Amino acid sequence: MSSNNNNNGVNNNWFLTHIDYEGEGRAEFENPKGYIEGRVKIYFDEFGNSSIEMNVAKYHTEQPLSFNCIEFFNADPAEEEGSFSSTNRFGSNPCKSLTVNTPDGTYSAQGSIVYNPISSLGGDNTRVEFYLVPSYFDNINAELPKYWVFPIFNLISDFTQLNSQLDCHPLRILPRLDDAENTTWTPLFRKLFFNIHRLIVFDFKGTKGFIQQLLDFKERKKNLYSGQVQRTITAVMVGEVGSESIDIDKVTNWLPFGLLPLLSLATGSEVGIPWIEFRDANGGLVRRIHKRFGQPKFSIGHTTISEQYNQGTGYLLTGAQSSTPYGKEPLGSVIFDLVQSSSHSLTIEDKLNKICRAFDYLCQHYKLDTQNLLLGLDDDYKEFVKKTLRSAAQDIRSVAQAASDSGQSKLLNKIADKTINSSNIDRDFGLAVTDLLKHLGLHDADIIDAYYQSNPRADGRTHWSSVLSRYRGIAVHTGDFSFQEKTYDIHDVVRITYHLYDILVRIVFKMLGYDRTYQPIIINQTSQPVDWVKADLQASELWY
């Protein structure tokens, strides 16, 4: 049975921020084969917590038991003198399924289910805790699915869009009116309400989707910013299912999980989802999928897209879906580190470390992380080096083949592989980054190099790439710039860290085909096009 949503003053007419199921359940086990039955209570809340617990009323096994439930929960019980004894591996009998029948529908989980028998050891009050695995709840009166719903953790954004097509959508969140007031949602009243509670609108598979904040969004935002909670549901994201399957093993192939990192990028705070819902044409629940989709902790970061400026979030979500990098690596890893690097809670060393790691991913993706030393040689020397390395590798492999110790043989073969490619070396970080910018048509490196020529640095470094390599080495290997000892200029380190962050944002937007404006971290209270850094831009515009 699902609970009514009345916490924190929310009184929505369909969406629940916490879920309760309760009914008679049955869990099946493999070794020894059998099952347990009893009353099961299941709970999922808006903070990412869950609990599944059965009060065991009955158990059955195919083989005789000597110690009641104690023995049943042990895999491969030992036989001694015609009877079975405990192997002291309590809770090791594999559980392969859990089914709970409730008045509203059925909760089901299959696979390897982790559990823990608790309370009395095999007595009348035995309880079993089950831990969350991919599972689902099917409504007993389910119709055909038409919409998917993502409840979203930690999404803090402005909602500024109006769309008359969505005013009558069955999954728009409305306050429940008091029947005693004899008030109904007339078209005019509905329109006035939606003029205040606006949306983020995007396209998905040729139809309109939307994100709407919960009715008590301001209170939830306040709780996140004050640190009262680490995560909470703040909004719902809705789209159409179309002809896709809602089977638990197929939804990952088509649901737009790739849009969640983009929301994190736009807002500066990592978002996530606690579960997935599928609903029918009238908004009725069809299926709810429960799985660990990640539980991000809220942290205030840099907002790259402000809905007040350009309503660009929905535009980003729509356009990104048709871009080549969408939903693929390294984009996900780059965005993850990029979002985390803007967190106000991190030190400048941690920020720079994450930013450098994101650049490493991109340089590897574009094959700029290694340098082939052969490219600088004349053809005769090049052929001589290749021949020599091949010969050395063959000699090493011959020794590896003759080695009697398999471990030594594996190491020798690895060395032979390295020998063949020994002319390829890891690139200097700064040079790899500047080559990446050149490859993508970005002018930042040239602008800063020109600035350093006319404004020499105190450390004597004349190229931006050299500074990047030096700072990256400190952030990654020592993690301390020793600002108190004035070894490094804190203003310079902060400047370069934020500049690199801004470059990463522009690169990601460029990869996703986003061509509207965004909010650069290095320019306060302004909005700029993604390609605002032109070749003739002054270094002062980049905070130098």
Side-chain angles (χ1 to χ4, degrees):
M1 179 175 65
S2 299
S3 66
N4 291 324
N5 181 5
N6 53 16
N7 54 317
N8 293 331
V10 178
N11 193 18
N12 301 339
N13 58 354
W14 67 271
F15 179 68
L16 306 176
T17 58
H18 64 262
I19 307 298
D20 295 298
Y21 308 117
E22 184 173 353
E24 296 301 319
R26 175 179 174 128
E28 297 189 356
F29 296 80
E30 291 185 334
N31 186 20
K33 288 183 178 296
Y35 63 83
I36 59 175
E37 293 180 342
R39 195 73 177 174
V40 181
K41 293 183 178 181
I42 303 171
Y43 179 76
F44 299 92
D45 70 17
E46 62 179 290
F47 310 113
N49 303 312
S50 64
S51 66
I52 307 172
E53 184 174 299
M54 174 189 288
N55 284 317
V56 179
K58 176 183 177 182
Y59 68 90
H60 171 78
T61 179
E62 293 183 358
Q63 64 187 35
L65 299 178
S66 301
F67 299 102
N68 295 328
C69 280
I70 293 180
E71 185 178 331
F72 178 70
F73 291 124
N74 280 260
D76 296 318
E79 183 175 0
E80 296 180 1
E81 298 180 357
S83 64
F84 292 90
S85 63
S86 171
T87 60
N88 295 320
R89 291 196 293 154
F90 197 40
S92 59
N93 185 358
C95 179
K96 63 180 182 179
S97 70
L98 173 65
T99 304
V100 182
N101 294 313
T102 79
D104 298 325
T106 303
Y107 175 88
S108 304
Q110 284 86 31
S112 180
I113 303 174
V114 179
Y115 67 96
N116 179 34
I118 56 177
S119 192
S120 63
L121 301 179
D124 294 335
N125 297 319
T126 299
R127 294 181 295 131
V128 179
E129 289 180 341
F130 298 91
Y131 300 101
L132 180 62
V133 297
S135 54
Y136 53 92
F137 176 81
D138 285 326
N139 192 329
I140 196 170
N141 297 314
E143 302 289 340
L144 290 175
K146 183 173 177 61
Y147 303 107
W148 55 263
V149 179
F150 284 174
I152 305 182
F153 284 137
N154 302 350
L155 178 64
I156 303 297
S157 180
D158 294 314
F159 296 79
T160 60
Q161 291 182 265
L162 292 170
N163 189 299
S164 59
Q165 299 176 37
L166 299 172
D167 283 352
C168 295
H169 196 288
L171 297 184
R172 290 298 300 271
I173 296 177
L174 302 166
R176 182 173 295 157
L177 300 176
D178 190 344
D179 293 336
E181 296 176 355
N182 195 26
T183 307
T184 59
W185 281 102
T186 64
L188 178 59
F189 195 44
R190 192 180 185 105
K191 192 172 188 65
L192 290 172
F193 176 81
F194 288 146
N195 190 53
I196 299 173
H197 294 269
R198 300 189 178 194
L199 308 170
I200 293 173
V201 181
F202 63 96
D203 292 341
F204 177 71
K205 294 185 178 294
T207 61
K208 290 294 179 187
F210 66 89
I211 305 172
Q212 181 179 351
Q213 61 187 1
L214 299 189
L215 299 182
D216 61 346
F217 173 81
K218 290 183 179 179
E219 182 67 21
R220 292 168 179 272
K221 177 180 177 180
K222 179 181 177 181
N223 291 340
L224 287 171
Y225 272 78
S226 67
Q228 184 174 336
V229 297
Q230 293 183 329
R231 71 186 65 84
T232 188
I233 299 171
T234 57
V236 294
M237 187 178 198
V238 179
E240 293 198 16
V241 172
S243 60
E244 302 290 353
S245 169
I246 65 169
D247 288 348
I248 194 169
D249 58 344
K250 295 181 179 179
V251 295
T252 54
N253 297 327
W254 65 269
L255 278 173
F257 295 107
L259 297 183
L260 298 175
L262 304 187
L263 288 173
S264 301
L265 173 64
T267 62
S269 300
E270 189 181 358
V271 307
I273 57 175
W275 60 77
I276 304 168
E277 295 183 358
F278 296 97
R279 293 186 171 263
D280 62 30
N282 296 315
L285 180 66
V286 176
R287 169 172 287 183
R288 189 179 284 121
I289 292 179
H290 297 282
K291 186 179 178 182
R292 292 200 180 280
F293 294 102
Q295 297 184 339
K297 294 182 179 180
F298 179 76
S299 181
I300 300 173
H302 176 67
T303 300
T304 62
I305 298 180
S306 172
E307 290 297 289
Q308 292 182 347
Y309 280 102
N310 61 9
Q311 299 182 343
T313 304
Y315 181 80
L316 171 66
L317 301 183
T318 298
Q321 296 173 61
S322 59
S323 67
T324 301
Y326 172 74
K328 302 175 183 176
E329 288 296 340
L331 188 64
S333 297
V334 170
I335 293 178
F336 178 78
D337 281 326
L338 184 57
V339 172
Q340 289 206 329
S341 73
S342 78
S343 172
H344 293 185
S345 64
L346 295 186
T347 66
I348 194 65
E349 289 89 354
D350 287 338
K351 289 176 181 287
L352 184 55
N353 188 1
K354 292 181 180 297
I355 289 170
C356 290
R357 187 165 59 190
F359 270 109
D360 286 339
Y361 293 141
L362 288 173
C363 289
Q364 292 170 12
H365 176 69
Y366 287 103
K367 304 187 185 306
L368 298 171
D369 57 322
T370 59
Q371 180 180 15
N372 188 345
L373 299 178
L374 293 175
L375 296 179
L377 295 177
D378 293 337
D379 289 342
D380 291 341
Y381 290 130
K382 188 183 299 183
E383 187 58 36
F384 167 76
V385 172
K386 286 182 178 180
K387 182 178 180 180
T388 302
L389 292 176
R390 284 197 299 268
S391 177
Q394 289 173 359
D395 290 342
I396 296 172
R397 286 198 176 97
S398 297
V399 175
Q401 188 173 5
S404 57
D405 188 314
S406 61
Q408 295 291 301
S409 178
K410 288 180 180 179
L411 288 174
L412 286 167
N413 278 313
K414 286 184 178 180
I415 292 172
D417 292 338
K418 294 270 187 188
T419 301
I420 284 287
N421 297 304
S422 61
S423 59
N424 292 331
I425 63 170
D426 291 338
R427 294 290 309 277
D428 172 89
F429 174 76
L431 292 176
V433 169
T434 54
D435 280 354
L436 175 66
L437 268 59
K438 182 178 180 180
H439 176 76
L440 297 175
L442 301 181
H443 306 288
D444 299 71
D446 293 336
I447 293 171
I448 306 307
D449 278 349
Y451 172 78
Y452 284 165
Q453 295 302 314
S454 57
N455 298 272
R457 292 174 54 89
D459 59 10
R461 298 181 184 275
T462 58
H463 290 86
W464 190 56
S465 61
S466 175
V467 180
L468 298 186
S469 295
R470 179 58 177 160
Y471 285 1
R472 188 253 190 189
I474 296 168
V476 173
H477 299 297
T478 67
D480 185 6
F481 280 98
S482 303
F483 294 126
Q484 291 181 343
E485 301 173 7
K486 298 184 178 180
T487 306
Y488 294 95
D489 180 359
I490 186 172
H491 299 291
D492 191 53
V493 175
V494 171
R495 176 190 303 119
I496 288 178
T497 300
Y498 281 21
H499 183 197
L500 287 174
Y501 171 89
D502 184 72
I503 291 172
L504 271 177
V505 171
R506 284 185 271 135
I507 289 175
V508 170
F509 281 153
K510 187 181 181 73
M511 293 172 70
L512 294 172
Y514 178 80
D515 56 6
R516 285 194 180 178
T517 60
Y518 78 109
Q519 281 60 57
I521 196 171
I522 55 179
I523 303 178
N524 293 326
Q525 302 300 320
T526 189
S527 184
Q528 295 284 356
V530 173
D531 63 349
W532 68 282
V533 179
K534 306 294 186 183
D536 59 352
L537 188 76
Q538 295 297 310
S540 59
E541 298 295 319
L542 295 172
W543 218 18
Y544 286 78

